Amino acid sequence: MMMREGSIWKRAKSHARMLLAAMAVCALLPQGATARGDDGEVEVAAAAVAASASSADLPRLVLPPVAAAGAVNAVSATSRLVLPTPAYPFTRSEQVVEQAFGQRVADPYRWLEGDVRRSDEVARWVANQNAVSGAYLAQLPGRDALSARIRRLFDYERFSLPRKAGRSYFYLYNSGLQNQSALYVRDGLDGAGRMLLDPDSWAEGGTVALDGWVPSPRGRYLAYTQQAAGSDWRTIRVVEVGSGRVLDERLRWANDTLIGWVGEEGFLYSRYPAPADDAGLQAPAFDKAVWFHRVGTPQSQDQLVYATPDHRDWAHKAAVTSDGRWAVILTEDSTLPRRAVHLIDLRRGAGRDGWRVLPLVAELADDWKLVDGIGDRLWFITNQGAPNYRLVQVDLGPDPSIKVVIPERTQALEGGRIVGDRLVLSYLRDGAAVAVVTDLKGRPARSITINSIGSASGFGGKPGDPESFYQFSSFNQPPAVFRMDMRTGETTPFAQPKLGFDPQDYLIEQRTYPSKDGTQVPIYIVRKRSLARAGMAAPTLLYGYGGFDVALTPAYSPVRMAWLEAGGAFALANIRGGGEFGRAWYDAGRLDKKQNSFDDFIAAGEFLIREGITPKGGLAIQGGSNGGMMVGAVINQRPDLFAAANPDVGVMDMLRFDRFTQGRFWTQDYGNPAHEADWKVLRAYSPYHNIHAGLYPAILVTTADTDDRVVPGHSFKYVAALQAAPVGERPHLLRVEQDAGHGSGKPVDKVIAGGADVLAFLAYWTGLDLR
């Protein structure tokens, strides 16, 4: 517990901190905002010092914006609770200044890169930040009612897509408010479900999640991965399906692994060497290799299958074709869509000299995605000579050959499966996932059409199966699971959720708007039909990502639905850098073209205001991971445009991102900070390094203490710089989730609590009445 300081001393200390912080942050300002003195010290821009020293003697009451006339749910200033600007905890700064390519860059908060599990000082700082943000968020009007509504929206039955092995069907089920979904098995499609694994029993509060799970071919065993506290590290376990007995072996240090069963006796998986100590949890990881584990034996007896000690930064994963004939090893060295491919003929097994690995595609030049195999034929989706991808068949018989089965189309080919004697292909059309069914020679059989905006996905199965399962989801529709008869094409419901709202009350539109350079960018807009009919503006939440060739498609979120129910609008901008429209769209938003992503997002906000979707002062923005970085960058570039922002688990220090965990894989998207040309691009938009004097929106930064994908030090340093800079008196707070990671595996209770805090904060500062 912290003692309260006297008001005079508190004000004096606050002024001193602001002056010192302005001096520390001056080198984080945009290029040209700082100057270097003759003594080599970084000088403070006079404007920044003046701004920081002009605070009033008493804390100011900052009135949140009121939506413009005609806006729905706007609240008058006289009826609204006014929260004072919180006093931020003290953050010490250090004289850390580095020289890079002729420029000096300060990093006064580098000590906040320390792991909260190892640094008591960082842990105390996080606790103090959480105490301040927790007290502020608890006062927000409507926060508790919003939390209760999100909980009700979560309370519906949820099923995953079933997977068949032998006669058994395996699927996840959640009755509604379970922190983690349980794994069930049925004997036959119409059999009674039997719980096989209950992750809620693994740890208090559901902090250990069931991540991946793959049954053996005949369904005797099931291998599954456990995820603790949201970490990317996984532990692989095996359960005997008939008895429900979990076997003793624990395979540790798996990370981004596939599980490829070799008959019923064992499986291939990927793992890194065990770190030397706990410091390895945030350190870069190398030497990822493929191993074979025999069921019933300890990990120490696993056999090394494939590794590349001459290329320690390469990462390998292994899949096995449905007929068990081939193991296909995919190798990658970055997030770029390019992979090498090696094969193992599993009929031979492991000889005295180990596993015989044969090269199929030796170079890391193009992308190769395995569809499946039948005998000596393998099907791949590749971008070799086809930026939007095409389907090819590789014949491994006496006369090896590769032939095109499905040529490239204008829509990007995302994935495919062989089910029965058909190919089920997933395309991206106008930013949404659609499916096409053909025979094995690529001749059209049927298309799966749904007369609404949404995404059809899944389509699992294997050659010879009589059926496939898929799900349909949209912004106003939780995932519904359907069974498709592969012979007749007939589709029947397998699991449809019962809803506490009418999806038809909400209008989903897809429109386009011009970006700064004239490029037309698609955007989804979701709101109540009554708002659209009345032509009323509403506080709007704008979301974006724009990176790593990732496509954002229509999907359901109970948290987002609570915002819509309260009368807000939601917009999803498919900005450049994402994968919605093929390779050209992706390339137009990476490396030295990353600014296009920011321009697209800024233009989306301007479009929403111009079109009367949201009023001035009513726009909130949100993004996670790469999207969190994007939100931080656009705040620096256009702070006047946004009322509130939520950068979530963002990459905020673009000059040091490659020094932690998997960060080195991102250099093909962002550039390499060790290269001068890339460094200058990164320096120009890095959120941490470009905070400048001005009036910033209200900002709630969210991260988690055990995020080992984008380490939380990114968010810690960014918040420290924000709180020290002269950026206005709207709150700039940090919320750190405990025992959580980058997002996956988060318990329902944590999702509800975090969602309520974030939306209540954004609602307060955009004028959305939650009452």
Side-chain angles (χ1 to χ4, degrees):
M1 181 176 294
M2 298 180 63
M3 297 182 62
R4 296 185 178 274
E5 301 174 278
S7 59
I8 296 177
W9 167 246
K10 188 174 182 179
R11 288 197 301 271
K13 186 174 180 180
S14 176
H15 283 187
R17 283 206 310 267
M18 292 183 73
L19 280 167
L20 290 171
M23 296 174 67
V25 83
C26 69
L28 304 180
L29 302 180
Q31 298 176 28
T34 61
R36 187 175 64 198
D38 292 337
D39 59 357
E41 294 296 320
V42 180
E43 296 179 349
V44 182
V49 176
S52 69
S54 63
S55 301
D57 287 339
L58 295 175
R60 298 181 186 177
L61 299 182
V62 183
L63 192 67
V66 177
V72 69
N73 282 351
V75 184
S76 69
T78 57
S79 67
R80 192 167 184 86
L81 172 68
V82 179
L83 298 179
T85 304
Y88 304 128
F90 171 74
T91 303
R92 71 175 176 86
S93 62
E94 299 178 333
Q95 293 297 318
V96 178
V97 181
E98 288 189 342
Q99 185 92 13
F101 306 111
Q103 297 187 39
R104 289 167 58 83
V105 180
D107 190 1
Y109 306 112
R110 185 172 294 180
W111 65 273
L112 286 171
E113 293 176 354
D115 192 331
V116 296
R117 292 163 290 191
R118 295 173 57 86
S119 170
D120 291 339
E121 185 181 20
V122 175
R124 285 193 300 271
W125 182 87
V126 168
N128 291 338
Q129 290 285 340
N130 268 347
V132 169
S133 62
Y136 184 89
L137 296 169
Q139 300 177 72
L140 292 171
R143 190 268 174 207
D144 292 341
L146 181 65
S147 177
R149 184 55 188 158
I150 295 173
R151 182 167 293 276
R152 287 193 293 272
L153 287 166
F154 256 107
D155 195 7
Y156 67 92
E157 286 187 318
R158 298 188 290 282
F159 292 81
S160 73
L161 292 171
R163 298 180 192 172
K164 185 181 179 183
R167 284 183 42 82
S168 299
Y169 289 80
F170 300 84
Y171 59 94
L172 296 174
Y173 172 75
N174 194 310
S175 61
L177 293 174
Q178 295 170 255
N179 271 320
Q180 302 290 347
S181 297
L183 181 67
Y184 281 74
V185 59
R186 292 181 184 178
D187 183 14
L189 185 62
D190 298 322
R194 169 172 61 93
M195 185 189 293
L196 187 61
L197 295 170
D198 179 16
D200 275 343
S201 68
W202 293 345
E204 184 177 356
T207 56
V208 177
L210 171 63
D211 182 47
W213 48 276
V214 182
S216 61
R218 295 200 298 270
R220 180 181 178 185
Y221 300 107
L222 180 137
Y224 62 96
T225 59
Q226 291 180 315
Q227 178 186 22
S231 171
D232 278 349
W233 295 108
R234 303 289 190 268
T235 298
I236 303 176
R237 305 294 307 275
V238 179
V239 59
E240 188 177 56
V241 174
S243 66
R245 180 174 65 95
V246 176
L247 305 187
D248 290 337
E249 59 254 45
R250 297 171 184 265
L251 313 184
R252 302 186 185 278
W253 305 114
N255 192 316
D256 186 25
T257 182
L258 299 176
I259 293 174
W261 279 94
V262 181
E264 301 291 309
E265 64 184 57
F267 52 84
L268 302 170
Y269 72 102
S270 302
R271 65 173 165 91
Y272 287 96
D277 53 34
D278 288 343
L281 296 176
Q282 290 197 162
F286 297 93
D287 299 313
K288 184 176 182 179
V290 175
W291 295 76
F292 174 74
H293 173 75
R294 190 175 301 278
V295 173
T297 64
Q299 187 173 19
S300 60
Q301 294 181 15
D302 289 355
Q303 300 172 17
L304 178 62
V305 175
Y306 186 70
T308 52
D310 293 338
H311 297 280
R312 299 185 60 212
D313 55 332
W314 289 8
H316 314 290
K317 293 184 284 189
V320 175
T321 57
S322 295
D323 62 3
R325 170 69 185 282
W326 297 97
V328 180
I329 299 174
L330 303 172
T331 298
E332 55 196 9
D333 68 341
S334 70
T335 55
L336 270 186
R338 63 186 188 192
R339 294 176 175 87
V341 183
H342 290 77
L343 303 176
I344 300 175
D345 187 343
L346 293 176
R347 293 177 304 177
R348 300 172 180 266
R352 292 182 178 178
D353 297 328
W355 298 77
R356 187 182 179 206
V357 179
L358 306 172
L360 179 65
V361 180
E363 301 296 327
L364 288 162
D366 303 296
D367 197 8
W368 295 84
K369 303 175 184 178
L370 175 67
V371 175
D372 212 331
I374 302 175
D376 285 333
R377 293 176 296 164
L378 300 176
W379 283 261
F380 289 90
I381 291 170
T382 180
N383 61 1
Q384 185 184 57
N388 285 340
Y389 290 84
R390 59 186 177 183
L391 181 80
V392 300
Q393 177 186 309
V394 179
D395 191 334
L396 300 172
D399 298 314
S401 63
I402 297 179
K403 66 178 180 180
V404 176
V405 179
I406 306 278
E408 181 185 19
R409 298 183 178 182
T410 55
Q411 298 94 6
L413 176 56
E414 281 282 284
R417 296 288 298 175
I418 298 176
V419 186
D421 60 355
R422 295 285 188 266
L423 282 162
V424 184
L425 305 173
S426 178
Y427 284 91
L428 282 174
R429 180 183 300 162
D430 297 328
V434 298
V436 174
V437 181
T438 77
D439 66 16
L440 295 183
K441 293 183 178 180
R443 294 174 297 201
R446 69 185 70 91
S447 293
I448 299 172
T449 58
I450 299 170
N451 296 322
S452 59
I453 295 177
S455 296
S457 60
F459 300 100
K462 60 183 182 296
D465 280 355
E467 74 223 337
S468 181
F469 294 89
Y470 70 93
Q471 68 180 20
F472 175 79
S473 178
S474 192
F475 298 110
N476 62 344
Q477 174 64 59
V481 180
F482 299 90
R483 176 186 181 272
M484 183 173 67
D485 187 303
M486 296 306 298
R487 183 177 57 85
T488 66
E490 180 183 2
T491 295
T492 54
F494 177 81
Q496 289 183 295
K498 295 179 181 179
L499 307 179
F501 62 92
D502 184 355
Q504 295 305 312
D505 289 344
Y506 298 89
L507 175 66
I508 303 174
E509 301 173 276
Q510 188 178 33
R511 299 164 68 174
T512 60
Y513 63 90
S515 188
K516 182 178 181 179
D517 62 0
T519 299
Q520 291 294 313
V521 181
I523 186 171
Y524 289 104
I525 301 171
V526 190
R527 50 188 167 155
K528 287 184 175 179
R529 289 185 183 275
S530 56
L531 292 180
R533 283 195 297 265
M536 300 177 71
T540 299
L541 174 56
L542 171 62
Y543 192 92
Y545 186 79
F548 296 96
D549 202 24
V550 172
L552 295 187
T553 58
Y556 178 74
S557 161
V559 176
R560 191 177 295 153
M561 180 54 66
W563 176 271
L564 294 168
E565 281 194 336
F570 174 76
L572 173 64
N574 293 133
I575 62 179
R576 283 174 285 183
E580 293 87 355
F581 303 100
R583 182 60 186 263
W585 195 257
Y586 167 48
D587 285 341
R590 70 182 186 97
L591 299 176
D592 61 343
K593 297 182 178 61
K594 196 65 186 173
Q595 183 60 41
N596 285 336
S597 300
F598 312 143
D599 290 342
D600 291 355
F601 198 70
I602 290 169
E606 294 171 334
F607 169 80
L608 293 168
I609 295 171
R610 184 170 64 247
E611 293 295 308
I613 305 297
T614 190
K616 290 183 178 180
L619 181 61
I621 55 174
Q622 185 182 50
S625 196
N626 174 81
M629 178 275 291
M630 182 267 300
V631 167
V634 300
I635 289 172
N636 289 334
Q637 295 180 16
R638 283 296 306 276
D640 60 298
L641 186 60
F642 315 112
N646 170 223
D648 182 40
V649 293
V651 189
M652 298 310 205
D653 183 343
M654 300 308 296
L655 303 184
R656 289 175 59 81
F657 70 85
D658 59 324
R659 305 187 183 206
F660 304 98
T661 60
Q662 305 300 311
R664 71 175 189 279
F665 284 104
W666 312 338
T667 57
Q668 295 297 328
D669 226 79
Y670 294 144
N672 191 333
H675 300 160
E676 181 175 4
D678 292 345
W679 186 92
K680 289 182 176 179
V681 172
L682 294 165
R683 172 64 179 83
Y685 71 78
S686 177
Y688 174 58
H689 297 92
N690 286 279
I691 297 169
H692 60 85
L695 298 178
Y696 271 44
I699 303 172
L700 177 61
V701 179
T702 48
T703 188
D705 57 1
T706 54
D707 186 348
D708 47 23
R709 187 175 308 176
V710 178
V711 295
H714 281 281
S715 294
F716 298 170
K717 292 166 62 174
Y718 172 68
V719 166
L722 272 178
Q723 293 179 350
V727 290
E729 296 194 10
R730 291 188 178 186
H732 304 125
L733 303 175
L734 174 67
R735 184 187 189 277
V736 182
E737 190 74 74
Q738 293 182 312
D739 296 323
H742 201 60
S744 67
K746 186 179 291 187
V748 166
D749 285 344
K750 288 184 181 292
V751 175
I752 293 171
D757 281 348
V758 170
L759 290 194
F761 182 87
L762 300 180
Y764 180 81
W765 287 100
T766 56
L768 179 64
D769 184 8
L770 297 177
R771 296 176 300 177

Coordinates of all heavy atoms in Angstrom, one line a residue, residues 37-75:
G37 N 24.3 19.2 -28.1 CA 25.2 20.2 -27.6 C 26.6 19.9 -27.9 O 27.0 18.8 -28.2
D38 N 27.5 20.9 -27.7 CA 28.9 20.7 -27.9 C 29.5 19.7 -27.0 O 30.5 19.0 -27.3 CB 29.7 22.0 -27.8 CG 29.3 23.0 -28.9 OD1 28.9 22.5 -30.0 OD2 29.5 24.2 -28.7
D39 N 28.9 19.5 -25.8 CA 29.4 18.6 -24.8 C 28.9 17.2 -25.1 O 29.2 16.3 -24.3 CB 29.1 19.0 -23.4 CG 27.6 19.1 -23.2 OD1 26.8 18.9 -24.2 OD2 27.1 19.4 -22.0
G40 N 28.1 17.0 -26.1 CA 27.7 15.7 -26.5 C 26.4 15.2 -25.8 O 25.9 14.2 -26.1
E41 N 25.9 16.1 -24.8 CA 24.6 15.7 -24.2 C 23.4 16.1 -25.1 O 23.5 17.0 -25.9 CB 24.5 16.4 -22.8 CG 25.5 16.0 -21.8 CD 25.4 14.6 -21.4 OE1 24.2 14.1 -21.3 OE2 26.4 13.9 -21.3
V42 N 22.4 15.3 -24.9 CA 21.2 15.6 -25.7 C 20.4 16.8 -25.0 O 20.1 16.8 -23.8 CB 20.2 14.4 -25.7 CG1 19.0 14.7 -26.5 CG2 21.0 13.2 -26.3
E43 N 20.2 17.9 -25.8 CA 19.6 19.1 -25.3 C 18.1 18.9 -25.3 O 17.5 18.2 -26.1 CB 20.0 20.3 -26.0 CG 21.5 20.6 -25.9 CD 21.9 21.8 -26.7 OE1 21.1 22.3 -27.5 OE2 23.0 22.2 -26.5
V44 N 17.4 19.7 -24.5 CA 15.9 19.6 -24.4 C 15.3 20.7 -25.3 O 15.8 21.9 -25.3 CB 15.5 19.9 -23.0 CG1 13.9 19.8 -22.9 CG2 16.1 18.8 -22.0
A45 N 14.4 20.4 -26.1 CA 13.7 21.4 -26.9 C 13.0 22.3 -26.0 O 12.2 21.9 -25.1 CB 12.7 20.7 -27.8
A46 N 13.1 23.6 -26.2 CA 12.6 24.6 -25.2 C 11.1 24.5 -25.1 O 10.5 24.6 -24.1 CB 13.0 26.0 -25.7
A47 N 10.4 24.2 -26.3 CA 9.0 24.1 -26.3 C 8.5 23.0 -25.4 O 7.5 23.1 -24.6 CB 8.4 23.9 -27.7
A48 N 9.2 21.9 -25.4 CA 8.9 20.7 -24.6 C 9.0 21.1 -23.1 O 8.1 20.7 -22.3 CB 9.7 19.5 -24.9
V49 N 10.1 21.8 -22.7 CA 10.2 22.1 -21.3 C 9.1 23.1 -20.9 O 8.6 22.9 -19.8 CB 11.6 22.7 -21.1 CG1 11.8 23.2 -19.6 CG2 12.7 21.7 -21.4
A50 N 8.9 24.1 -21.7 CA 7.8 25.0 -21.3 C 6.5 24.4 -21.2 O 5.8 24.7 -20.2 CB 7.8 26.1 -22.4
A51 N 6.2 23.4 -22.0 CA 4.9 22.8 -21.9 C 4.8 22.0 -20.7 O 3.8 21.9 -20.0 CB 4.7 21.9 -23.2
S52 N 5.9 21.3 -20.3 CA 5.9 20.5 -19.1 C 5.8 21.3 -17.8 O 5.3 20.8 -16.8 CB 7.1 19.5 -19.1 OG 8.3 20.3 -18.8
A53 N 6.3 22.5 -17.9 CA 6.4 23.3 -16.6 C 5.1 24.2 -16.5 O 5.1 24.9 -15.5 CB 7.6 24.2 -16.7
S54 N 4.2 24.1 -17.4 CA 3.0 25.0 -17.3 C 1.8 24.4 -16.6 O 0.7 24.8 -16.8 CB 2.6 25.4 -18.7 OG 2.2 24.3 -19.5
S55 N 2.0 23.3 -15.9 CA 0.9 22.6 -15.2 C 0.3 23.5 -14.2 O 1.0 24.3 -13.5 CB 1.3 21.3 -14.6 OG 1.8 20.4 -15.6
A56 N -1.0 23.5 -14.0 CA -1.7 24.3 -13.0 C -1.3 23.8 -11.6 O -0.9 22.6 -11.5 CB -3.2 24.3 -13.2
D57 N -1.5 24.6 -10.6 CA -1.2 24.1 -9.2 C -2.1 23.0 -8.8 O -1.7 22.2 -7.9 CB -1.3 25.3 -8.3 CG -0.2 26.3 -8.5 OD1 0.9 25.9 -9.0 OD2 -0.3 27.5 -8.1
L58 N -3.3 22.9 -9.2 CA -4.2 21.9 -8.8 C -4.5 21.0 -10.0 O -4.5 21.4 -11.1 CB -5.6 22.5 -8.3 CG -5.5 23.4 -7.1 CD1 -6.8 24.1 -6.8 CD2 -5.0 22.6 -5.9
P59 N -4.8 19.7 -9.7 CA -5.1 18.8 -10.8 C -6.3 19.3 -11.5 O -7.3 19.7 -11.0 CB -5.5 17.5 -10.0 CG -4.8 17.6 -8.7 CD -4.8 19.1 -8.4
R60 N -6.3 19.2 -12.9 CA -7.4 19.7 -13.7 C -8.4 18.6 -13.8 O -8.1 17.4 -13.9 CB -6.9 20.1 -15.1 CG -5.9 21.2 -15.0 CD -5.5 21.6 -16.4 NE -4.4 22.6 -16.4 CZ -3.8 23.1 -17.5 NH1 -4.1 22.6 -18.7 NH2 -2.9 24.0 -17.4
L61 N -9.7 19.0 -13.9 CA -10.7 18.1 -14.2 C -10.9 18.1 -15.7 O -11.4 19.1 -16.2 CB -12.0 18.4 -13.5 CG -11.9 18.5 -11.9 CD1 -13.3 18.8 -11.3 CD2 -11.5 17.1 -11.4
V62 N -10.6 17.0 -16.3 CA -10.7 16.9 -17.8 C -12.0 16.4 -18.2 O -12.3 15.2 -17.9 CB -9.5 16.1 -18.4 CG1 -9.5 16.1 -19.9 CG2 -8.2 16.6 -17.8
L63 N -12.8 17.2 -18.9 CA -14.1 16.8 -19.3 C -14.0 15.9 -20.5 O -13.4 16.3 -21.5 CB -15.0 18.0 -19.6 CG -16.5 17.7 -19.8 CD1 -17.1 17.3 -18.5 CD2 -17.2 19.0 -20.3
P64 N -14.6 14.7 -20.5 CA -14.6 13.9 -21.7 C -15.4 14.5 -22.8 O -16.3 15.3 -22.6 CB -15.2 12.6 -21.3 CG -16.1 12.9 -20.1 CD -15.4 14.1 -19.4
P65 N -15.2 14.2 -24.1 CA -15.9 14.8 -25.2 C -17.3 14.4 -25.2 O -17.7 13.4 -24.8 CB -15.1 14.3 -26.4 CG -14.6 13.0 -26.0 CD -14.2 13.2 -24.5
V66 N -18.1 15.3 -25.7 CA -19.6 15.0 -25.9 C -19.8 14.9 -27.4 O -19.3 15.7 -28.2 CB -20.4 16.2 -25.3 CG1 -21.9 15.9 -25.6 CG2 -20.2 16.3 -23.8
A67 N -20.4 13.9 -27.8 CA -20.7 13.6 -29.2 C -21.5 14.8 -29.8 O -22.2 15.4 -29.2 CB -21.4 12.3 -29.4
A68 N -21.3 15.0 -31.1 CA -21.9 16.1 -31.8 C -23.4 16.0 -31.8 O -24.0 15.0 -31.6 CB -21.3 16.2 -33.2
A69 N -24.0 17.1 -32.1 CA -25.5 17.2 -32.2 C -26.0 16.1 -33.1 O -25.5 16.0 -34.2 CB -25.9 18.6 -32.6
G70 N -27.1 15.4 -32.7 CA -27.6 14.4 -33.5 C -27.1 13.0 -33.3 O -27.6 12.0 -33.8
A71 N -26.0 12.9 -32.5 CA -25.4 11.6 -32.2 C -26.3 10.9 -31.2 O -26.8 11.5 -30.3 CB -24.0 11.8 -31.7
V72 N -26.3 9.6 -31.3 CA -27.1 8.8 -30.4 C -26.3 8.6 -29.1 O -25.0 8.5 -29.1 CB -27.4 7.4 -31.0 CG1 -26.2 6.6 -31.2 CG2 -28.4 6.7 -30.2
N73 N -27.0 8.5 -28.0 CA -26.4 8.2 -26.7 C -25.3 9.2 -26.2 O -24.5 8.8 -25.4 CB -25.8 6.8 -26.7 CG -26.8 5.7 -26.6 OD1 -28.0 6.0 -26.3 ND2 -26.4 4.5 -26.8
A74 N -25.3 10.3 -26.8 CA -24.4 11.4 -26.3 C -25.0 11.9 -25.0 O -26.2 12.0 -24.8 CB -24.2 12.5 -27.3
V75 N -24.1 12.3 -24.0 CA -24.5 12.7 -22.7 C -24.1 14.1 -22.5 O -23.0 14.5 -22.8 CB -24.0 11.8 -21.6 CG1 -24.5 12.2 -20.3 CG2 -24.3 10.4 -21.9

